Amino acid sequence: MQAVFISYDQAHHGAVIDILDKSLCRGFTTFGNVQGRGSKTGDPHYGSHAWPSLGQALLTFVEDDRVEILLERLRALDESKPMLGLRAFVWPITHTI
């Protein structure tokens, strides 16, 4: 099992949920509106008058055999709208209750 943390522009929210559904990833937790700035070329997402957009974040736990297809679909979404921004990070899960 792997943890996948996805940080993205709020405009991607519906598409990210759709990708999770199509990738058979049922469970997730969203963190709602989050603020931040991309590490390479991303504009700030501060929800202010100068930088009005906001980000969102989502954490899901995915079976090993679904991780690559999920990342491929997220990568395609990011590449289709590169100015919005989307990042995904994967961590192994060693214990659960």
mmCIF file of all heavy atoms in Angstrom, residues 2-9 11-25 28 56-62 66-90:
data_model
loop_
_atom_site.group_PDB
_atom_site.id
_atom_site.type_symbol
_atom_site.label_atom_id
_atom_site.label_comp_id
_atom_site.label_asym_id
_atom_site.label_seq_id
_atom_site.Cartn_x
_atom_site.Cartn_y
_atom_site.Cartn_z
ATOM 1 N N GLN A 2 0.441 2.278 -0.696
ATOM 2 C CA GLN A 2 1.184 3.533 -0.816
ATOM 3 C C GLN A 2 0.272 4.708 -0.451
ATOM 4 O O GLN A 2 -0.923 4.682 -0.746
ATOM 5 C CB GLN A 2 1.670 3.742 -2.255
ATOM 6 C CG GLN A 2 2.409 2.570 -2.860
ATOM 7 C CD GLN A 2 3.808 2.438 -2.335
ATOM 8 O OE1 GLN A 2 4.451 3.418 -2.006
ATOM 9 N NE2 GLN A 2 4.284 1.216 -2.231
ATOM 10 N N ALA A 3 0.870 5.717 0.159
ATOM 11 C CA ALA A 3 0.163 6.973 0.397
ATOM 12 C C ALA A 3 0.488 7.894 -0.764
ATOM 13 O O ALA A 3 1.650 8.005 -1.166
ATOM 14 C CB ALA A 3 0.609 7.606 1.709
ATOM 15 N N VAL A 4 -0.526 8.533 -1.310
ATOM 16 C CA VAL A 4 -0.321 9.495 -2.394
ATOM 17 C C VAL A 4 -0.888 10.838 -1.935
ATOM 18 O O VAL A 4 -2.083 10.950 -1.655
ATOM 19 C CB VAL A 4 -1.010 9.042 -3.703
ATOM 20 C CG1 VAL A 4 -0.733 10.043 -4.826
ATOM 21 C CG2 VAL A 4 -0.550 7.638 -4.102
ATOM 22 N N PHE A 5 -0.007 11.815 -1.826
ATOM 23 C CA PHE A 5 -0.391 13.179 -1.474
ATOM 24 C C PHE A 5 -0.423 13.976 -2.763
ATOM 25 O O PHE A 5 0.565 14.002 -3.508
ATOM 26 C CB PHE A 5 0.617 13.793 -0.498
ATOM 27 C CG PHE A 5 0.298 15.220 -0.148
ATOM 28 C CD1 PHE A 5 -0.658 15.508 0.816
ATOM 29 C CD2 PHE A 5 0.958 16.266 -0.772
ATOM 30 C CE1 PHE A 5 -0.951 16.824 1.144
ATOM 31 C CE2 PHE A 5 0.671 17.583 -0.450
ATOM 32 C CZ PHE A 5 -0.286 17.858 0.506
ATOM 33 N N ILE A 6 -1.556 14.618 -3.036
ATOM 34 C CA ILE A 6 -1.732 15.374 -4.271
ATOM 35 C C ILE A 6 -2.036 16.824 -3.894
ATOM 36 O O ILE A 6 -2.969 17.089 -3.130
ATOM 37 C CB ILE A 6 -2.895 14.809 -5.125
ATOM 38 C CG1 ILE A 6 -2.739 13.296 -5.304
ATOM 39 C CG2 ILE A 6 -2.955 15.511 -6.474
ATOM 40 C CD1 ILE A 6 -3.992 12.604 -5.805
ATOM 41 N N SER A 7 -1.242 17.730 -4.418
ATOM 42 C CA SER A 7 -1.448 19.164 -4.221
ATOM 43 C C SER A 7 -1.727 19.766 -5.592
ATOM 44 O O SER A 7 -0.990 19.497 -6.548
ATOM 45 C CB SER A 7 -0.185 19.781 -3.596
ATOM 46 O OG SER A 7 -0.332 21.161 -3.437
ATOM 47 N N TYR A 8 -2.793 20.586 -5.697
ATOM 48 C CA TYR A 8 -3.214 21.034 -7.015
ATOM 49 C C TYR A 8 -3.992 22.336 -6.922
ATOM 50 O O TYR A 8 -4.517 22.698 -5.875
ATOM 51 C CB TYR A 8 -4.073 19.962 -7.696
ATOM 52 C CG TYR A 8 -5.217 19.455 -6.851
ATOM 53 C CD1 TYR A 8 -6.486 20.029 -6.931
ATOM 54 C CD2 TYR A 8 -5.042 18.409 -5.958
ATOM 55 C CE1 TYR A 8 -7.538 19.577 -6.154
ATOM 56 C CE2 TYR A 8 -6.078 17.945 -5.174
ATOM 57 C CZ TYR A 8 -7.316 18.524 -5.278
ATOM 58 O OH TYR A 8 -8.352 18.074 -4.504
ATOM 59 N N ASP A 9 -4.080 23.051 -8.043
ATOM 60 C CA ASP A 9 -4.909 24.242 -8.148
ATOM 61 C C ASP A 9 -6.364 23.833 -7.949
ATOM 62 O O ASP A 9 -6.799 22.789 -8.436
ATOM 63 C CB ASP A 9 -4.722 24.889 -9.522
ATOM 64 C CG ASP A 9 -5.453 26.200 -9.666
ATOM 65 O OD1 ASP A 9 -6.699 26.181 -9.797
ATOM 66 O OD2 ASP A 9 -4.793 27.252 -9.631
ATOM 67 N N ALA A 11 -8.934 24.616 -9.335
ATOM 68 C CA ALA A 11 -9.667 24.386 -10.579
ATOM 69 C C ALA A 11 -9.596 22.917 -11.022
ATOM 70 O O ALA A 11 -10.440 22.465 -11.788
ATOM 71 C CB ALA A 11 -9.130 25.293 -11.685
ATOM 72 N N HIS A 12 -8.610 22.183 -10.552
ATOM 73 C CA HIS A 12 -8.461 20.764 -10.893
ATOM 74 C C HIS A 12 -9.311 19.839 -10.032
ATOM 75 O O HIS A 12 -9.354 18.634 -10.289
ATOM 76 C CB HIS A 12 -7.001 20.324 -10.701
ATOM 77 C CG HIS A 12 -6.070 20.662 -11.818
ATOM 78 N ND1 HIS A 12 -6.384 20.527 -13.147
ATOM 79 C CD2 HIS A 12 -4.783 21.114 -11.778
ATOM 80 C CE1 HIS A 12 -5.352 20.877 -13.879
ATOM 81 N NE2 HIS A 12 -4.375 21.245 -13.075
ATOM 82 N N HIS A 13 -9.971 20.331 -8.997
ATOM 83 C CA HIS A 13 -10.586 19.452 -8.000
ATOM 84 C C HIS A 13 -11.511 18.392 -8.610
ATOM 85 O O HIS A 13 -11.368 17.196 -8.323
ATOM 86 C CB HIS A 13 -11.327 20.257 -6.931
ATOM 87 C CG HIS A 13 -11.847 19.396 -5.827
ATOM 88 N ND1 HIS A 13 -11.017 18.780 -4.914
ATOM 89 C CD2 HIS A 13 -13.113 19.011 -5.509
ATOM 90 C CE1 HIS A 13 -11.747 18.073 -4.071
ATOM 91 N NE2 HIS A 13 -13.023 18.188 -4.412
ATOM 92 N N GLY A 14 -12.445 18.795 -9.426
ATOM 93 C CA GLY A 14 -13.372 17.832 -10.022
ATOM 94 C C GLY A 14 -12.658 16.785 -10.862
ATOM 95 O O GLY A 14 -12.992 15.594 -10.809
ATOM 96 N N ALA A 15 -11.651 17.208 -11.604
ATOM 97 C CA ALA A 15 -10.893 16.279 -12.448
ATOM 98 C C ALA A 15 -10.082 15.306 -11.601
ATOM 99 O O ALA A 15 -9.966 14.121 -11.945
ATOM 100 C CB ALA A 15 -9.989 17.053 -13.402
ATOM 101 N N VAL A 16 -9.509 15.774 -10.491
ATOM 102 C CA VAL A 16 -8.750 14.884 -9.611
ATOM 103 C C VAL A 16 -9.667 13.819 -9.009
ATOM 104 O O VAL A 16 -9.322 12.635 -8.976
ATOM 105 C CB VAL A 16 -8.012 15.691 -8.515
ATOM 106 C CG1 VAL A 16 -7.440 14.772 -7.444
ATOM 107 C CG2 VAL A 16 -6.908 16.545 -9.133
ATOM 108 N N ILE A 17 -10.850 14.218 -8.557
ATOM 109 C CA ILE A 17 -11.805 13.249 -8.006
ATOM 110 C C ILE A 17 -12.209 12.238 -9.078
ATOM 111 O O ILE A 17 -12.298 11.034 -8.816
ATOM 112 C CB ILE A 17 -13.042 13.964 -7.419
ATOM 113 C CG1 ILE A 17 -12.648 14.925 -6.300
ATOM 114 C CG2 ILE A 17 -14.096 12.953 -6.949
ATOM 115 C CD1 ILE A 17 -11.944 14.289 -5.129
ATOM 116 N N ASP A 18 -12.419 12.710 -10.293
ATOM 117 C CA ASP A 18 -12.773 11.819 -11.404
ATOM 118 C C ASP A 18 -11.645 10.821 -11.678
ATOM 119 O O ASP A 18 -11.897 9.633 -11.901
ATOM 120 C CB ASP A 18 -13.076 12.649 -12.652
ATOM 121 C CG ASP A 18 -13.628 11.818 -13.782
ATOM 122 O OD1 ASP A 18 -14.591 11.052 -13.554
ATOM 123 O OD2 ASP A 18 -13.094 11.933 -14.911
ATOM 124 N N ILE A 19 -10.405 11.280 -11.630
ATOM 125 C CA ILE A 19 -9.257 10.390 -11.836
ATOM 126 C C ILE A 19 -9.199 9.337 -10.735
ATOM 127 O O ILE A 19 -8.943 8.157 -11.005
ATOM 128 C CB ILE A 19 -7.955 11.204 -11.908
ATOM 129 C CG1 ILE A 19 -7.881 11.943 -13.253
ATOM 130 C CG2 ILE A 19 -6.725 10.311 -11.711
ATOM 131 C CD1 ILE A 19 -6.772 12.965 -13.345
ATOM 132 N N LEU A 20 -9.441 9.738 -9.494
ATOM 133 C CA LEU A 20 -9.468 8.754 -8.404
ATOM 134 C C LEU A 20 -10.534 7.697 -8.663
ATOM 135 O O LEU A 20 -10.289 6.500 -8.498
ATOM 136 C CB LEU A 20 -9.727 9.440 -7.061
ATOM 137 C CG LEU A 20 -8.596 10.300 -6.508
ATOM 138 C CD1 LEU A 20 -9.079 11.056 -5.276
ATOM 139 C CD2 LEU A 20 -7.377 9.466 -6.178
ATOM 140 N N ASP A 21 -11.724 8.133 -9.072
ATOM 141 C CA ASP A 21 -12.805 7.186 -9.360
ATOM 142 C C ASP A 21 -12.417 6.219 -10.464
ATOM 143 O O ASP A 21 -12.599 5.006 -10.346
ATOM 144 C CB ASP A 21 -14.084 7.929 -9.748
ATOM 145 C CG ASP A 21 -14.737 8.649 -8.588
ATOM 146 O OD1 ASP A 21 -14.391 8.357 -7.419
ATOM 147 O OD2 ASP A 21 -15.582 9.532 -8.844
ATOM 148 N N LYS A 22 -11.873 6.754 -11.557
ATOM 149 C CA LYS A 22 -11.490 5.916 -12.695
ATOM 150 C C LYS A 22 -10.327 4.990 -12.362
ATOM 151 O O LYS A 22 -10.156 3.963 -13.015
ATOM 152 C CB LYS A 22 -11.149 6.786 -13.901
ATOM 153 C CG LYS A 22 -12.372 7.432 -14.502
ATOM 154 C CD LYS A 22 -12.022 8.307 -15.679
ATOM 155 C CE LYS A 22 -13.305 8.921 -16.237
ATOM 156 N NZ LYS A 22 -13.026 9.903 -17.286
ATOM 157 N N SER A 23 -9.528 5.353 -11.367
ATOM 158 C CA SER A 23 -8.387 4.535 -10.957
ATOM 159 C C SER A 23 -8.748 3.578 -9.820
ATOM 160 O O SER A 23 -7.864 2.928 -9.253
ATOM 161 C CB SER A 23 -7.237 5.446 -10.515
ATOM 162 O OG SER A 23 -6.877 6.332 -11.551
ATOM 163 N N LEU A 24 -10.037 3.511 -9.483
ATOM 164 C CA LEU A 24 -10.559 2.640 -8.427
ATOM 165 C C LEU A 24 -9.937 2.935 -7.063
ATOM 166 O O LEU A 24 -9.663 2.037 -6.284
ATOM 167 C CB LEU A 24 -10.376 1.167 -8.805
ATOM 168 C CG LEU A 24 -10.987 0.742 -10.138
ATOM 169 C CD1 LEU A 24 -10.641 -0.702 -10.443
ATOM 170 C CD2 LEU A 24 -12.487 0.981 -10.173
ATOM 171 N N CYS A 25 -9.721 4.215 -6.813
ATOM 172 C CA CYS A 25 -9.198 4.678 -5.522
ATOM 173 C C CYS A 25 -10.362 5.322 -4.785
ATOM 174 O O CYS A 25 -10.695 6.484 -5.011
ATOM 175 C CB CYS A 25 -8.070 5.689 -5.730
ATOM 176 S SG CYS A 25 -6.692 5.037 -6.666
ATOM 177 N N PHE A 28 -10.283 8.746 0.346
ATOM 178 C CA PHE A 28 -9.368 9.882 0.325
ATOM 179 C C PHE A 28 -9.813 10.898 1.361
ATOM 180 O O PHE A 28 -10.940 10.875 1.828
ATOM 181 C CB PHE A 28 -9.284 10.539 -1.057
ATOM 182 C CG PHE A 28 -10.580 11.116 -1.551
ATOM 183 C CD1 PHE A 28 -10.963 12.413 -1.219
ATOM 184 C CD2 PHE A 28 -11.422 10.372 -2.356
ATOM 185 C CE1 PHE A 28 -12.155 12.941 -1.667
ATOM 186 C CE2 PHE A 28 -12.620 10.891 -2.821
ATOM 187 C CZ PHE A 28 -12.990 12.185 -2.474
ATOM 188 N N GLN A 56 -5.604 23.109 -3.389
ATOM 189 C CA GLN A 56 -6.263 22.101 -2.578
ATOM 190 C C GLN A 56 -5.281 20.961 -2.412
ATOM 191 O O GLN A 56 -4.328 20.820 -3.191
ATOM 192 C CB GLN A 56 -7.555 21.620 -3.225
ATOM 193 C CG GLN A 56 -8.622 22.709 -3.237
ATOM 194 C CD GLN A 56 -10.008 22.161 -3.371
ATOM 195 O OE1 GLN A 56 -10.464 21.921 -4.454
ATOM 196 N NE2 GLN A 56 -10.673 21.959 -2.247
ATOM 197 N N ALA A 57 -5.489 20.157 -1.405
ATOM 198 C CA ALA A 57 -4.622 19.012 -1.163
ATOM 199 C C ALA A 57 -5.484 17.811 -0.829
ATOM 200 O O ALA A 57 -6.573 17.951 -0.266
ATOM 201 C CB ALA A 57 -3.650 19.307 -0.024
ATOM 202 N N LEU A 58 -4.973 16.638 -1.183
ATOM 203 C CA LEU A 58 -5.722 15.405 -1.007
ATOM 204 C C LEU A 58 -4.737 14.300 -0.642
ATOM 205 O O LEU A 58 -3.629 14.246 -1.176
ATOM 206 C CB LEU A 58 -6.424 15.081 -2.328
ATOM 207 C CG LEU A 58 -7.345 13.899 -2.395
ATOM 208 C CD1 LEU A 58 -8.483 14.193 -3.357
ATOM 209 C CD2 LEU A 58 -6.625 12.656 -2.820
ATOM 210 N N LEU A 59 -5.148 13.456 0.272
ATOM 211 C CA LEU A 59 -4.345 12.294 0.654
ATOM 212 C C LEU A 59 -5.181 11.042 0.424
ATOM 213 O O LEU A 59 -6.336 10.960 0.863
ATOM 214 C CB LEU A 59 -3.938 12.392 2.127
ATOM 215 C CG LEU A 59 -3.071 11.279 2.675
ATOM 216 C CD1 LEU A 59 -1.716 11.236 1.973
ATOM 217 C CD2 LEU A 59 -2.886 11.450 4.181
ATOM 218 N N THR A 60 -4.600 10.092 -0.280
ATOM 219 C CA THR A 60 -5.278 8.827 -0.527
ATOM 220 C C THR A 60 -4.286 7.690 -0.294
ATOM 221 O O THR A 60 -3.077 7.887 -0.392
ATOM 222 C CB THR A 60 -5.875 8.761 -1.955
ATOM 223 O OG1 THR A 60 -6.646 7.574 -2.093
ATOM 224 C CG2 THR A 60 -4.817 8.835 -3.033
ATOM 225 N N PHE A 61 -4.801 6.534 0.029
ATOM 226 C CA PHE A 61 -3.981 5.350 0.240
ATOM 227 C C PHE A 61 -4.376 4.337 -0.821
ATOM 228 O O PHE A 61 -5.552 3.980 -0.938
ATOM 229 C CB PHE A 61 -4.171 4.805 1.656
ATOM 230 C CG PHE A 61 -3.693 5.803 2.677
ATOM 231 C CD1 PHE A 61 -4.547 6.775 3.171
ATOM 232 C CD2 PHE A 61 -2.376 5.787 3.089
ATOM 233 C CE1 PHE A 61 -4.096 7.722 4.088
ATOM 234 C CE2 PHE A 61 -1.913 6.730 4.003
ATOM 235 C CZ PHE A 61 -2.781 7.696 4.501
ATOM 236 N N VAL A 62 -3.397 3.906 -1.592
ATOM 237 C CA VAL A 62 -3.651 3.182 -2.834
ATOM 238 C C VAL A 62 -2.904 1.844 -2.820
ATOM 239 O O VAL A 62 -1.745 1.781 -2.397
ATOM 240 C CB VAL A 62 -3.176 4.044 -4.033
ATOM 241 C CG1 VAL A 62 -3.403 3.341 -5.351
ATOM 242 C CG2 VAL A 62 -3.875 5.393 -4.023
ATOM 243 N N ARG A 66 -2.108 0.013 -8.281
ATOM 244 C CA ARG A 66 -2.883 1.130 -8.832
ATOM 245 C C ARG A 66 -2.103 2.444 -8.852
ATOM 246 O O ARG A 66 -2.561 3.429 -9.422
ATOM 247 C CB ARG A 66 -4.159 1.319 -8.029
ATOM 248 C CG ARG A 66 -5.087 0.141 -8.162
ATOM 249 C CD ARG A 66 -6.436 0.401 -7.574
ATOM 250 N NE ARG A 66 -7.218 -0.820 -7.691
ATOM 251 C CZ ARG A 66 -8.122 -1.198 -6.822
ATOM 252 N NH1 ARG A 66 -8.373 -0.460 -5.771
ATOM 253 N NH2 ARG A 66 -8.799 -2.303 -7.000
ATOM 254 N N VAL A 67 -0.951 2.468 -8.207
ATOM 255 C CA VAL A 67 -0.203 3.722 -8.067
ATOM 256 C C VAL A 67 0.229 4.275 -9.418
ATOM 257 O O VAL A 67 0.028 5.460 -9.703
ATOM 258 C CB VAL A 67 1.017 3.542 -7.131
ATOM 259 C CG1 VAL A 67 1.900 4.785 -7.136
ATOM 260 C CG2 VAL A 67 0.543 3.226 -5.720
ATOM 261 N N GLU A 68 0.828 3.459 -10.270
ATOM 262 C CA GLU A 68 1.358 3.957 -11.543
ATOM 263 C C GLU A 68 0.258 4.514 -12.444
ATOM 264 O O GLU A 68 0.439 5.561 -13.067
ATOM 265 C CB GLU A 68 2.158 2.881 -12.270
ATOM 266 C CG GLU A 68 3.512 2.636 -11.655
ATOM 267 C CD GLU A 68 4.374 3.901 -11.533
ATOM 268 O OE1 GLU A 68 4.414 4.704 -12.480
ATOM 269 O OE2 GLU A 68 4.998 4.072 -10.468
ATOM 270 N N ILE A 69 -0.871 3.823 -12.549
ATOM 271 C CA ILE A 69 -1.953 4.332 -13.401
ATOM 272 C C ILE A 69 -2.503 5.638 -12.846
ATOM 273 O O ILE A 69 -2.809 6.563 -13.598
ATOM 274 C CB ILE A 69 -3.068 3.281 -13.626
ATOM 275 C CG1 ILE A 69 -4.051 3.748 -14.690
ATOM 276 C CG2 ILE A 69 -3.812 2.962 -12.346
ATOM 277 C CD1 ILE A 69 -3.514 3.798 -16.071
ATOM 278 N N LEU A 70 -2.597 5.737 -11.520
ATOM 279 C CA LEU A 70 -3.044 6.989 -10.909
ATOM 280 C C LEU A 70 -2.075 8.116 -11.255
ATOM 281 O O LEU A 70 -2.486 9.197 -11.679
ATOM 282 C CB LEU A 70 -3.166 6.828 -9.391
ATOM 283 C CG LEU A 70 -3.505 8.093 -8.604
ATOM 284 C CD1 LEU A 70 -4.861 8.658 -9.014
ATOM 285 C CD2 LEU A 70 -3.466 7.801 -7.109
ATOM 286 N N LEU A 71 -0.774 7.873 -11.104
ATOM 287 C CA LEU A 71 0.214 8.905 -11.414
ATOM 288 C C LEU A 71 0.207 9.273 -12.895
ATOM 289 O O LEU A 71 0.350 10.450 -13.244
ATOM 290 C CB LEU A 71 1.605 8.453 -10.988
ATOM 291 C CG LEU A 71 1.832 8.303 -9.489
ATOM 292 C CD1 LEU A 71 3.247 7.815 -9.215
ATOM 293 C CD2 LEU A 71 1.556 9.603 -8.752
ATOM 294 N N GLU A 72 0.032 8.305 -13.767
ATOM 295 C CA GLU A 72 -0.041 8.594 -15.205
ATOM 296 C C GLU A 72 -1.221 9.511 -15.520
ATOM 297 O O GLU A 72 -1.090 10.464 -16.286
ATOM 298 C CB GLU A 72 -0.170 7.299 -16.005
ATOM 299 C CG GLU A 72 1.099 6.485 -16.063
ATOM 300 C CD GLU A 72 0.883 5.135 -16.735
ATOM 301 O OE1 GLU A 72 -0.127 4.948 -17.449
ATOM 302 O OE2 GLU A 72 1.739 4.246 -16.535
ATOM 303 N N ARG A 73 -2.355 9.235 -14.928
ATOM 304 C CA ARG A 73 -3.546 10.057 -15.182
ATOM 305 C C ARG A 73 -3.378 11.455 -14.591
ATOM 306 O O ARG A 73 -3.788 12.443 -15.208
ATOM 307 C CB ARG A 73 -4.780 9.362 -14.617
ATOM 308 C CG ARG A 73 -5.155 8.137 -15.413
ATOM 309 C CD ARG A 73 -6.244 7.324 -14.772
ATOM 310 N NE ARG A 73 -6.664 6.250 -15.673
ATOM 311 C CZ ARG A 73 -7.386 5.211 -15.307
ATOM 312 N NH1 ARG A 73 -7.786 5.088 -14.044
ATOM 313 N NH2 ARG A 73 -7.717 4.298 -16.187
ATOM 314 N N LEU A 74 -2.786 11.546 -13.409
ATOM 315 C CA LEU A 74 -2.536 12.862 -12.817
ATOM 316 C C LEU A 74 -1.525 13.652 -13.651
ATOM 317 O O LEU A 74 -1.675 14.853 -13.861
ATOM 318 C CB LEU A 74 -2.045 12.718 -11.379
ATOM 319 C CG LEU A 74 -3.067 12.198 -10.372
ATOM 320 C CD1 LEU A 74 -2.391 11.866 -9.051
ATOM 321 C CD2 LEU A 74 -4.197 13.208 -10.171
ATOM 322 N N ARG A 75 -0.481 12.976 -14.150
ATOM 323 C CA ARG A 75 0.508 13.630 -15.003
ATOM 324 C C ARG A 75 -0.150 14.172 -16.269
ATOM 325 O O ARG A 75 0.133 15.297 -16.693
ATOM 326 C CB ARG A 75 1.626 12.657 -15.364
ATOM 327 C CG ARG A 75 2.769 13.289 -16.145
ATOM 328 C CD ARG A 75 3.907 12.309 -16.421
ATOM 329 N NE ARG A 75 4.548 11.914 -15.179
ATOM 330 C CZ ARG A 75 4.483 10.693 -14.638
ATOM 331 N NH1 ARG A 75 3.802 9.733 -15.228
ATOM 332 N NH2 ARG A 75 5.095 10.417 -13.513
ATOM 333 N N ALA A 76 -1.036 13.403 -16.877
ATOM 334 C CA ALA A 76 -1.728 13.858 -18.082
ATOM 335 C C ALA A 76 -2.576 15.094 -17.791
ATOM 336 O O ALA A 76 -2.609 16.040 -18.593
ATOM 337 C CB ALA A 76 -2.593 12.734 -18.654
ATOM 338 N N LEU A 77 -3.249 15.114 -16.648
ATOM 339 C CA LEU A 77 -4.037 16.289 -16.268
ATOM 340 C C LEU A 77 -3.127 17.495 -16.094
ATOM 341 O O LEU A 77 -3.422 18.585 -16.602
ATOM 342 C CB LEU A 77 -4.818 16.018 -14.979
ATOM 343 C CG LEU A 77 -5.593 17.201 -14.395
ATOM 344 C CD1 LEU A 77 -6.638 17.716 -15.374
ATOM 345 C CD2 LEU A 77 -6.220 16.803 -13.069
ATOM 346 N N ASP A 78 -2.022 17.324 -15.400
ATOM 347 C CA ASP A 78 -1.080 18.428 -15.184
ATOM 348 C C ASP A 78 -0.549 18.950 -16.515
ATOM 349 O O ASP A 78 -0.492 20.161 -16.734
ATOM 350 C CB ASP A 78 0.065 17.969 -14.293
ATOM 351 C CG ASP A 78 1.054 19.076 -13.994
ATOM 352 O OD1 ASP A 78 0.613 20.216 -13.711
ATOM 353 O OD2 ASP A 78 2.271 18.819 -14.033
ATOM 354 N N GLU A 79 -0.183 18.057 -17.413
ATOM 355 C CA GLU A 79 0.362 18.470 -18.706
ATOM 356 C C GLU A 79 -0.681 19.133 -19.598
ATOM 357 O O GLU A 79 -0.341 19.961 -20.431
ATOM 358 C CB GLU A 79 0.996 17.273 -19.412
ATOM 359 C CG GLU A 79 2.272 16.819 -18.722
ATOM 360 C CD GLU A 79 2.852 15.525 -19.277
ATOM 361 O OE1 GLU A 79 2.185 14.881 -20.143
ATOM 362 O OE2 GLU A 79 3.950 15.147 -18.845
ATOM 363 N N SER A 80 -1.959 18.809 -19.391
ATOM 364 C CA SER A 80 -3.013 19.419 -20.207
ATOM 365 C C SER A 80 -3.267 20.875 -19.817
ATOM 366 O O SER A 80 -3.781 21.643 -20.629
ATOM 367 C CB SER A 80 -4.307 18.611 -20.109
ATOM 368 O OG SER A 80 -4.942 18.818 -18.849
ATOM 369 N N LYS A 81 -2.920 21.253 -18.588
ATOM 370 C CA LYS A 81 -3.113 22.626 -18.106
ATOM 371 C C LYS A 81 -1.912 23.005 -17.232
ATOM 372 O O LYS A 81 -2.026 23.138 -16.013
ATOM 373 C CB LYS A 81 -4.414 22.731 -17.331
ATOM 374 C CG LYS A 81 -5.638 22.464 -18.200
ATOM 375 C CD LYS A 81 -6.907 22.666 -17.419
ATOM 376 C CE LYS A 81 -8.069 22.598 -18.362
ATOM 377 N NZ LYS A 81 -8.709 21.308 -18.398
ATOM 378 N N PRO A 82 -0.740 23.191 -17.845
ATOM 379 C CA PRO A 82 0.486 23.383 -17.059
ATOM 380 C C PRO A 82 0.518 24.657 -16.216
ATOM 381 O O PRO A 82 1.250 24.718 -15.229
ATOM 382 C CB PRO A 82 1.589 23.403 -18.121
ATOM 383 C CG PRO A 82 0.908 23.756 -19.391
ATOM 384 C CD PRO A 82 -0.487 23.213 -19.275
ATOM 385 N N MET A 83 -0.254 25.655 -16.536
ATOM 386 C CA MET A 83 -0.248 26.898 -15.757
ATOM 387 C C MET A 83 -0.969 26.748 -14.421
ATOM 388 O O MET A 83 -0.759 27.551 -13.513
ATOM 389 C CB MET A 83 -0.868 28.044 -16.559
ATOM 390 C CG MET A 83 -0.090 28.410 -17.820
ATOM 391 S SD MET A 83 1.589 28.955 -17.489
ATOM 392 C CE MET A 83 1.275 30.500 -16.687
ATOM 393 N N LEU A 84 -1.817 25.744 -14.274
ATOM 394 C CA LEU A 84 -2.556 25.574 -13.022
ATOM 395 C C LEU A 84 -1.701 24.937 -11.938
ATOM 396 O O LEU A 84 -1.737 25.363 -10.788
ATOM 397 C CB LEU A 84 -3.822 24.743 -13.247
ATOM 398 C CG LEU A 84 -4.925 25.407 -14.063
ATOM 399 C CD1 LEU A 84 -6.121 24.461 -14.182
ATOM 400 C CD2 LEU A 84 -5.331 26.723 -13.457
ATOM 401 N N GLY A 85 -0.991 23.910 -12.257
ATOM 402 C CA GLY A 85 -0.128 23.249 -11.292
ATOM 403 C C GLY A 85 -0.773 22.060 -10.610
ATOM 404 O O GLY A 85 -1.942 22.107 -10.216
ATOM 405 N N LEU A 86 -0.002 20.990 -10.511
ATOM 406 C CA LEU A 86 -0.417 19.771 -9.829
ATOM 407 C C LEU A 86 0.848 18.993 -9.506
ATOM 408 O O LEU A 86 1.727 18.855 -10.352
ATOM 409 C CB LEU A 86 -1.326 18.939 -10.737
ATOM 410 C CG LEU A 86 -1.923 17.672 -10.146
ATOM 411 C CD1 LEU A 86 -3.274 17.375 -10.767
ATOM 412 C CD2 LEU A 86 -1.016 16.482 -10.270
ATOM 413 N N ARG A 87 0.949 18.512 -8.282
ATOM 414 C CA ARG A 87 2.068 17.670 -7.870
ATOM 415 C C ARG A 87 1.528 16.494 -7.071
ATOM 416 O O ARG A 87 0.545 16.637 -6.341
ATOM 417 C CB ARG A 87 3.069 18.442 -7.002
ATOM 418 C CG ARG A 87 3.786 19.566 -7.709
ATOM 419 C CD ARG A 87 4.754 19.037 -8.756
ATOM 420 N NE ARG A 87 5.385 20.127 -9.478
ATOM 421 C CZ ARG A 87 4.946 20.618 -10.638
ATOM 422 N NH1 ARG A 87 3.861 20.124 -11.197
ATOM 423 N NH2 ARG A 87 5.591 21.584 -11.236
ATOM 424 N N ALA A 88 2.187 15.358 -7.214
ATOM 425 C CA ALA A 88 1.812 14.160 -6.453
ATOM 426 C C ALA A 88 3.082 13.537 -5.874
ATOM 427 O O ALA A 88 4.118 13.488 -6.548
ATOM 428 C CB ALA A 88 1.080 13.163 -7.342
ATOM 429 N N PHE A 89 2.975 13.089 -4.640
ATOM 430 C CA PHE A 89 4.096 12.488 -3.923
ATOM 431 C C PHE A 89 3.639 11.158 -3.348
ATOM 432 O O PHE A 89 2.524 11.065 -2.831
ATOM 433 C CB PHE A 89 4.560 13.418 -2.797
ATOM 434 C CG PHE A 89 4.900 14.800 -3.278
ATOM 435 C CD1 PHE A 89 3.928 15.780 -3.323
ATOM 436 C CD2 PHE A 89 6.184 15.105 -3.694
ATOM 437 C CE1 PHE A 89 4.223 17.059 -3.771
ATOM 438 C CE2 PHE A 89 6.499 16.384 -4.147
ATOM 439 C CZ PHE A 89 5.522 17.362 -4.188
ATOM 440 N N VAL A 90 4.497 10.161 -3.400
ATOM 441 C CA VAL A 90 4.139 8.808 -2.965
ATOM 442 C C VAL A 90 5.077 8.366 -1.843
ATOM 443 O O VAL A 90 6.294 8.533 -1.945
ATOM 444 C CB VAL A 90 4.234 7.817 -4.148
ATOM 445 C CG1 VAL A 90 3.876 6.403 -3.700
ATOM 446 C CG2 VAL A 90 3.348 8.270 -5.300
#
